[in-house]
Amino acid sequence: MEHSAFAPFIRPAAAQDAGRLAEILVFNNRLNFFPIFKDEQYSFREMQVVPLARQLAEDRDALARTFVWDDGVLRGFVRLRGREVEKLFVDPCFQGRGVGAALLAFAVTCFEADHLWALEANTGARRFYAAHGFAPTGESRFEEGTSQRLLLLRRPD
């Protein structure tokens, strides 16, 4: 399906989006992952918007696999790796308004995305994905360098 035919606000990411993408990642990390990992060094010292934005702007491969919801305000994004949803984040100020659902439906419809990894402890994300047809497969692994488990979620064929 033609990308623009899917949703008028979803477009490929560009290098000039890097600052906003970094903001979304940092805010989501602090609100959703810091309570799980409790890693102050990473969440409040290492993960900073400006350096992350520079890194994102230079990562042409990641940008080429990233699609943003932009209706004048970049509200969220999805990054794919083949048929895997590698990242899906919506600015916390705009969550619950259908942005994440539209980005996920875009990934499923336009790229046949059928699986992703979600933190077991992130119950909000797991509920969101379950509501959109992604179910645990029973396969899991540890998030690198942590005691937290990632669960493989898959859409049925």
Side-chain angles (χ1 to χ4, degrees), residues 14-19 21 50-64 79:
Q16 61 264 29
D17 299 323
L21 297 173
V50 173
L52 182 57
R54 282 192 202 113
Q55 178 187 347
L56 291 168
E58 294 171 2
D59 190 343
R60 300 290 180 206
D61 173 61
L63 279 174
R79 180 178 302 151

Side-chain angles (χ1 to χ4, degrees), residues 47-121:
M47 189 174 215
Q48 296 291 320
V49 172
V50 173
L52 182 57
R54 282 192 202 113
Q55 178 187 347
L56 291 168
E58 294 171 2
D59 190 343
R60 300 290 180 206
D61 173 61
L63 279 174
R65 298 180 288 107
T66 302
F67 297 86
V68 300
W69 174 283
D70 182 359
D71 59 1
V73 173
L74 199 157
R75 297 174 190 264
F77 70 93
V78 63
R79 180 178 302 151
L80 302 157
R81 182 178 298 278
R83 294 176 66 177
E84 177 182 354
V85 175
E86 187 177 68
K87 293 188 182 302
L88 174 63
F89 289 101
V90 175
D91 185 301
C93 295
F94 302 112
Q95 290 177 1
R97 298 183 184 185
V99 173
L103 287 165
L104 186 57
F106 170 81
V108 168
T109 302
C110 296
F111 294 94
E112 299 179 344
D114 65 356
H115 69 284
L116 58 93
W117 292 89
L119 277 172
E120 183 175 34

Side-chain angles (χ1 to χ4, degrees), residues 37 39 141-150:
F37 292 103
D39 186 343
R141 68 179 189 216
F142 285 104
E143 173 70 40
E144 188 175 330
T146 77
S147 62
Q148 296 294 322
R149 296 196 73 74
L150 291 165

Side-chain angles (χ1 to χ4, degrees), residues 13-29:
Q16 61 264 29
D17 299 323
R20 187 71 180 109
L21 297 173
E23 285 178 342
I24 292 169
L25 285 167
V26 168
F27 294 143
N28 270 282
N29 171 272

